[in-house]
Amino acid sequence: MDFNAQFAKDVREGLSSEPKYLLSKYFYDDVGDILFQQIMTLEEYYLTDCELEIFENQKDKILSCFSNDKGTFDLIEFGSGDGYKTKILLEYFTIEKVKFNYIPIDISSSVLETLSEDLKENIPGLNILPICDDYFHALEELNKVDFNKKVILFLGSNIGNFKGDNAIPFLKHLHADMNENDQLFIGFDLKKDPQIILNAYNDREGITREFNYNLLDRINRELGGNFDRNSFSHYPTYNPVTGEARSYLVSLKAQTVWIEVLSQSFSFEKWEPIFMEVSQKYSLQDIQHLAKHSGFKIDNNFFDSRNYFTDSLWVLK
Ligand code: AVI
């Protein structure tokens, strides 16, 4: 079996811990990518619409912040996916004849190929230079050969998927790879009516449940596991005090799961949870705290009309 050794190691670690967990970065295989695209179109999953609205309504102001010195800049996107939202900015910047390069960075080459083909066809004249690599390695390599001002996009509240205080080391690392005039444009889902947040992770069609189950299926497919997804129920929570939306898969019975690649079995007690994902929600003070403790200052916050979401423009302190 052709398997990813890091995936196997992380699964072993997560299922041997107390409490058990799996890493949500492994949600995104080919099936997971499609499920996430579906999530982004769900009525309950307001995040995508909020960011679309910010881009649609404030693209001129966003542009004037990005191209403040009028030189060529690099628009570098971490985890571009299908570029659905970014396209609004790319189209507008191209129409306005702005001098910029679009550099999407993603670990998945198929995602980048689809995106590049789509953009070449739909936005003629766009300079697109995709890089298939992990974010920091790509940024470090880019820094050796490219001296344009960088604007880094980290959209969709992807930062919220870092557990606990892990967001700060990530942002500090990013800070270390940025130069004086560079900017970070980073999306945060804001604290709001807890029910609205909970519904976003508990959609009526069950796509989010499927998204979680897919990780069990992936372990079966890639690591020779024998998870029976029907023996687990999907349990999303939201804690308005901490701002954490968390999802769990809870074992409906005492059971043992065998994972061939690990030559190991893992026992579950009845009602034992596997912690699957955190999606952190933020107050403006929380965002201020993150910026401050990672060496940034906030230059501008762009909000949607309901104040559900903000795209925050950060510069080095
Ligand atoms: C990618 N990330 C920001 C999404 C989120 O909202 O945490 C992933 C997701 N999980 C369930 N629905 C969407």
Side-chain angles (χ1 to χ4, degrees):
M1 188 185 295
D2 183 21
F3 69 95
N4 174 332
Q6 188 62 46
F7 179 38
K9 184 171 172 279
D10 288 339
V11 168
R12 186 202 298 273
E13 233 169 79
L15 295 182
S16 308
S17 299
E18 280 227 15
K20 291 182 173 58
Y21 69 87
L22 289 168
L23 297 178
S24 63
K25 67 176 177 181
Y26 293 116
F27 282 176
Y28 303 90
D29 64 351
D30 288 351
V31 181
D33 283 345
I34 293 170
L35 289 166
F36 184 55
Q37 306 287 347
Q38 291 175 10
I39 287 174
M40 287 195 290
T41 66
L42 292 170
E43 211 187 307
E44 293 102 328
Y45 196 73
Y46 56 84
L47 289 79
T48 312
D49 285 342
C50 292
E51 217 168 24
L52 272 176
E53 188 203 307
I54 293 172
F55 290 2
E56 273 298 352
N57 294 344
Q58 301 179 67
K59 55 192 174 208
D60 46 349
K61 194 169 161 214
I62 294 173
L63 173 58
S64 64
C65 290
F66 287 1
S67 66
N68 46 13
D69 66 358
K70 306 291 176 232
T72 301
F73 66 89
D74 289 338
L75 194 61
I76 299 173
E77 182 163 15
F78 280 5
S80 49
D82 68 353
Y84 179 58
K85 291 171 291 193
T86 317
K87 249 192 239 171
I88 298 174
L89 298 181
L90 299 178
E91 263 167 17
Y92 179 68
F93 294 180
T94 307
I95 291 168
E96 292 293 309
K97 301 205 169 20
V98 175
K99 286 183 278 173
F100 77 106
N101 303 306
Y102 176 54
I103 307 182
I105 302 176
D106 208 294
I107 203 73
S108 154
S109 58
S110 69
V111 159
L112 286 174
E113 268 165 41
T114 317
L115 175 68
S116 303
E117 275 164 30
D118 176 38
L119 291 177
K120 277 181 190 145
E121 200 177 312
N122 292 305
I123 315 183
L126 174 71
N127 233 349
I128 166 165
L129 312 160
I131 303 180
C132 185
D133 205 339
D134 83 60
Y135 301 154
F136 290 118
H137 189 249
L139 208 53
E140 278 148 26
E141 290 302 302
L142 209 57
N143 272 336
K144 293 181 192 160
V145 293
D146 179 356
F147 305 103
N148 290 332
K149 170 190 161 174
K150 290 191 290 291
V151 180
I152 297 169
L153 305 180
F154 195 45
L155 304 174
S157 205
N158 284 333
I159 191 73
N161 296 131
F162 284 87
K163 246 168 94 186
D165 277 342
N166 291 352
I168 290 183
F170 173 84
L171 292 166
K172 277 188 177 165
H173 193 168
L174 199 49
H175 181 280
D177 287 335
M178 288 170 65
N179 298 310
E180 208 185 319
N181 293 320
D182 295 346
Q183 293 165 314
L184 173 63
F185 196 53
I186 176 168
F188 292 98
D189 192 17
L190 298 173
K191 287 176 174 160
K192 59 183 70 61
D193 179 345
Q195 195 59 53
I196 292 175
I197 293 175
L198 188 57
N199 293 349
Y201 296 91
N202 195 23
D203 63 281
R204 281 160 296 179
E205 284 177 59
I207 313 283
T208 312
R209 182 176 60 227
E210 196 57 36
F211 189 50
N212 279 260
Y213 279 155
N214 178 54
L215 183 45
L216 302 187
D217 295 348
R218 181 175 181 185
I219 294 172
N220 291 351
R221 282 192 297 269
E222 294 182 23
L223 304 179
N226 68 353
F227 272 107
D228 169 19
R229 51 150 69 195
N230 296 319
S231 303
F232 290 85
S233 71
H234 174 229
Y235 184 69
T237 66
Y238 175 62
N239 179 338
V241 177
T242 63
E244 285 180 311
R246 285 171 161 251
S247 67
Y248 299 90
L249 290 177
V250 180
S251 179
L252 294 173
K253 59 181 189 191
Q255 56 181 317
T256 300
V257 173
W258 171 255
I259 299 181
E260 183 64 31
V261 160
L262 301 176
S263 303
Q264 197 174 333
S265 61
F266 299 90
S267 304
F268 292 82
E269 283 171 24
K270 192 175 185 180
W271 305 127
E272 185 177 350
I274 314 174
F275 169 45
M276 302 295 284
E277 186 185 40
V278 63
S279 303
Q280 182 69 43
K281 309 302 164 193
Y282 303 85
S283 66
L284 291 179
Q285 289 95 302
D286 296 333
I287 296 173
Q288 188 71 52
H289 173 90
L290 274 186
K292 189 173 158 203
H293 288 88
S294 50
F296 290 94
K297 65 174 189 253
I298 301 176
D299 190 47
N300 229 314
N301 278 325
F302 297 84
F303 297 93
D304 63 298
S305 54
R306 292 179 292 187
N307 284 326
Y308 277 10
F309 197 94
T310 186
D311 280 307
S312 192
L313 187 65
W314 290 10
V315 293
L316 305 195
K317 201 156 52 188

